Amino acid sequence: MTHILAQSDTGNPLLNIGVFVAFIVVTMTIVMRVGRTTTKASDFYTGGASFSGRQNGLAIAGDYLSAASFLGIVGAIALTGYDGFLYSIGFFVAWLVALLLVAEPLRNTGKFTMADVLSFRLKQRPVRIAAALATLFVSLFYLIAQMAGAGALVSVLLDIHEKSAQALVIAVVGVIMTAYVLIGGMKGTTYVQMIKAVLLCSGVLIMTVIILVIVRGNFSELLRMAVDQHGGNAAILEPGMKYGATSTSKLDFISLGLALVLGVAGLPHVLMRFYTVPTAREARKSVTWAIVLIGGFYLLTLLLGYGAAALVGPEAIKDAPGGANAAAPLLALALAGPIFMALISAVAFATVLAVVAGLAITASASIAHDIYDAVLRDGKATPEEQVRVSRITVIVIGVVSTVLGIAAMDQNVAFLVSLAFCIAASANVPTILFSLYWRRFNTTGAVASMVTGLASSLILIAFSPAVSGSPTSVIPGADFAWFPLSNPGLISIPLGFLAAVVGTYLGHPDHLDHLQAEMEVRSLTGVGVEAPIEH
């Protein structure tokens, strides 16, 4: 069987953009209606902790299943087979690690942001500054990936191949994302995430059913078709097609896996979702819903990835605007025509909007709550002032992430997200784990860990093949890459843990034992969650 897609056919651009505009209008209307009830700082940051477990579970899935999950992973599997599926395995295992180690203790201990937890039993000012910087960079790298995904998506729909036009698309996405956050806050964002989670999972399920109908339920036949489209190269079915050629690529494979598995436990925008429910019981219920949706989704990406390889073909994917990121919408076009492609792409676009809105809120909350209020104003800023600073921060973040997203628009978004995971795992995870589980841990250890993890990961990324030195780099014409691994997690994550230990033993004790005891009780039982955090 030859692949179904005619490479020149990407549907009717007017139909595609019409579906997009309709989708944006509907979701923006919901955000505006919900935004009228956003009156307090807690409404803007956590939706007033008013969502049920089921609602929050849908929203968590909506937050977690980003453009990387849908566009990037499908493209990675279609082009590199087994090695591409590592992203699905890593993202899902990482979710389970985060649940087991940090989710409920963080929710019981914190209030608005990750820094609330990290500074609970440590000295407020230095820890909040370090945590806010880490949050900002993690969110920024995640935002770059989403912007790049959005640019690829719309470029495929409108058949745009010019770089300047693709850059304009990303700029428009940045404007719409900023509007979502400014108008609706966390409440509006949460409703968009719930809608998007249902639509995305439904769309993926429909695509899977159509693929299975085409191959009459024979998965082996689908794999055979995928091998045929790869010129008979069965390496797509085996480990090592991308990461097995050299010793360096094998180390890169280990580094990527380490970053993926540990990264989620340090992602501020995912952890912040646990503050949007009123009780720990509802938090656990939301986790159950999220696991079902997230687990099912990642399992189906295997079928979609090989389906794209079989029915679209690797050459058509590589030649499309956005490259690997175009595999999912092209598969939708191959399966059921232009209208289905437009609908699936609109859902993927909602995926981008929902995730970037959540990221923008997280980063802006960290700046307003942790830097402006706790550090610059010594906790005396009014809620209105904090929200105003948050809104200004959202605009700045929107501009910066748009510019960087344009620079990275040819990169696979799953790979770009893995860099955000690496920074989170290096800068945040050691401090979170030691704050929760190591009594001796002190402020010096926390600051040393976050600064070392953040600095080492950023420096190594900057001098890695991901940025320069290869045709697929962000700056393909330059070569200042002296670090051989594309993902530096193998080096930067252990450095973060080592700095935490060394800093703790070299630094002076904080003498805040009463707060250590209170944090232990809160994190394990949830008692006193609503009480204010004071030193």
Side-chain angles (χ1 to χ4, degrees):
M1 183 186 294
T2 58
H3 66 280
I4 293 173
L5 178 66
Q7 293 184 23
S8 62
D9 181 18
T10 55
N12 185 335
L14 289 178
L15 170 68
N16 296 336
I17 202 67
V19 173
F20 257 56
V21 170
F23 200 92
I24 292 171
V25 168
V26 171
T27 53
M28 186 64 79
T29 302
I30 294 170
V31 167
M32 290 177 69
R33 289 176 64 89
V34 174
R36 293 173 190 162
T37 65
T38 300
T39 57
K40 300 180 294 186
S42 60
D43 291 333
F44 189 83
Y45 295 143
T46 65
S50 59
F51 294 99
S52 70
R54 182 176 69 255
Q55 289 175 320
N56 198 50
L58 290 172
I60 288 173
D63 220 349
Y64 194 68
L65 300 176
S66 65
S69 298
F70 185 48
L71 303 177
I73 293 177
V74 172
I77 296 173
L79 297 180
T80 61
Y82 186 100
D83 284 10
F85 191 51
L86 169 71
Y87 287 103
S88 286
I89 298 169
F91 286 150
F92 186 53
V93 172
W95 172 241
L96 299 178
V97 170
L99 293 182
L100 288 171
L101 293 179
V102 303
E104 190 170 340
L106 273 181
R107 188 247 165 247
N108 289 341
T109 310
K111 191 176 181 183
F112 288 150
T113 67
M114 184 182 70
D116 284 338
V117 180
L118 300 185
S119 63
F120 189 100
R121 65 181 182 93
L122 306 173
K123 294 176 182 176
Q124 294 271 327
R125 188 178 295 263
V127 173
R128 283 191 182 276
I129 292 173
L133 286 174
T135 296
L136 200 57
F137 277 102
V138 171
S139 301
L140 195 58
F141 269 77
Y142 219 111
L143 277 167
I144 293 169
Q146 307 308 313
M147 293 297 190
L153 192 64
V154 181
S155 298
V156 170
L157 279 183
L158 303 183
D159 200 23
I160 297 172
H161 290 264
E162 296 80 13
K163 296 295 182 185
S164 58
Q166 292 178 19
L168 180 61
V169 167
I170 294 176
V172 171
V173 173
V175 171
I176 296 172
M177 173 270 290
T178 305
Y180 269 78
V181 180
L182 294 180
I183 295 170
M186 181 59 91
K187 278 190 176 181
T189 300
T190 298
Y191 277 104
V192 172
Q193 286 166 339
M194 285 190 281
I195 295 168
K196 163 248 168 156
V198 172
L199 291 175
L200 180 62
C201 292
S202 300
V204 165
L205 190 61
I206 292 169
M207 292 172 73
T208 301
V209 170
I210 296 174
I211 291 171
L212 290 175
V213 168
I214 290 174
V215 298
R216 297 191 174 98
N218 188 343
F219 186 59
S220 297
E221 173 64 13
L222 181 68
L223 296 180
R224 186 196 64 76
M225 292 164 60
V227 170
D228 288 345
Q229 288 292 347
H230 275 263
N233 185 6
I236 192 175
L237 307 180
E238 302 168 358
M241 185 173 183
K242 181 176 182 180
Y243 292 107
T246 65
S247 297
T248 300
S249 64
K250 291 175 183 177
L251 286 176
D252 222 350
F253 181 87
I254 297 170
S255 189
L256 175 63
L258 190 63
L260 292 180
V261 168
L262 292 178
V264 176
L267 288 180
H269 73 289
V270 174
L271 299 176
M272 195 173 176
R273 285 242 59 97
F274 290 100
Y275 303 139
T276 60
V277 290
T279 64
R281 181 183 178 187
E282 289 298 318
R284 286 191 292 271
K285 187 187 293 185
S286 66
V287 163
T288 304
W289 277 90
I291 282 180
V292 172
L293 292 172
I294 292 171
F297 177 91
Y298 284 126
L299 184 63
L300 296 181
T301 55
L302 185 66
L303 276 163
L304 295 186
Y306 280 114
L311 303 175
V312 179
E315 296 308 317
I317 294 170
K318 291 175 185 176
D319 292 340
N325 302 322
L330 291 179
L331 175 61
L333 177 62
L335 293 175
I339 295 178
F340 188 58
M341 177 191 183
L343 290 171
I344 290 295
S345 298
V347 172
F349 192 69
T351 295
V352 172
L353 284 177
V355 173
V356 297
L359 286 163
I361 285 179
T362 301
S364 67
S366 187
I367 295 298
H369 183 64
D370 299 322
I371 299 293
Y372 178 73
D373 179 39
V375 176
L376 299 180
R377 295 293 303 276
D378 292 322
K380 297 176 183 176
T382 65
E384 292 76 17
E385 289 174 331
Q386 290 186 54
V387 171
R388 185 168 65 250
V389 172
S390 288
R391 293 185 192 278
I392 294 171
T393 307
V394 167
I395 296 172
V396 174
I397 289 171
V399 172
V400 174
S401 61
T402 299
V403 172
L404 294 176
I406 290 170
M409 59 188 174
D410 291 330
Q411 298 292 308
N412 183 301
V413 289
F415 168 72
L416 290 173
V417 164
S418 75
L419 297 182
F421 274 51
C422 174
I423 297 171
S426 305
N428 294 341
V429 170
T431 313
I432 291 172
L433 292 178
F434 286 140
S435 291
L436 291 171
Y437 300 112
W438 189 18
R439 291 191 175 192
R440 183 166 180 171
F441 192 55
N442 58 26
T443 300
T444 306
V447 174
S449 174
M450 285 188 280
V451 171
T452 302
L454 179 62
S456 62
S457 56
L458 289 176
I459 291 170
L460 293 178
I461 288 171
F463 293 101
S464 75
V467 175
S468 71
S470 78
T472 57
S473 301
V474 173
I475 312 175
D479 186 3
F480 46 84
W482 52 261
F483 183 70
L485 304 182
S486 295
N487 190 302
L490 193 61
I491 305 298
S492 59
I493 295 172
L495 280 178
F497 278 96
L498 181 63
V501 174
V502 172
T504 298
Y505 280 107
L506 292 180
H508 297 292
D510 293 320
H511 301 297
L512 297 171
D513 293 343
H514 63 292
L515 289 173
Q516 157 63 33
E518 183 183 348
M519 181 175 180
E520 197 168 347
V521 171
R522 276 201 194 194
S523 65
L524 294 176
T525 67
V527 172
V529 171
E530 302 305 322
I533 300 170
E534 297 177 356
H535 280 197

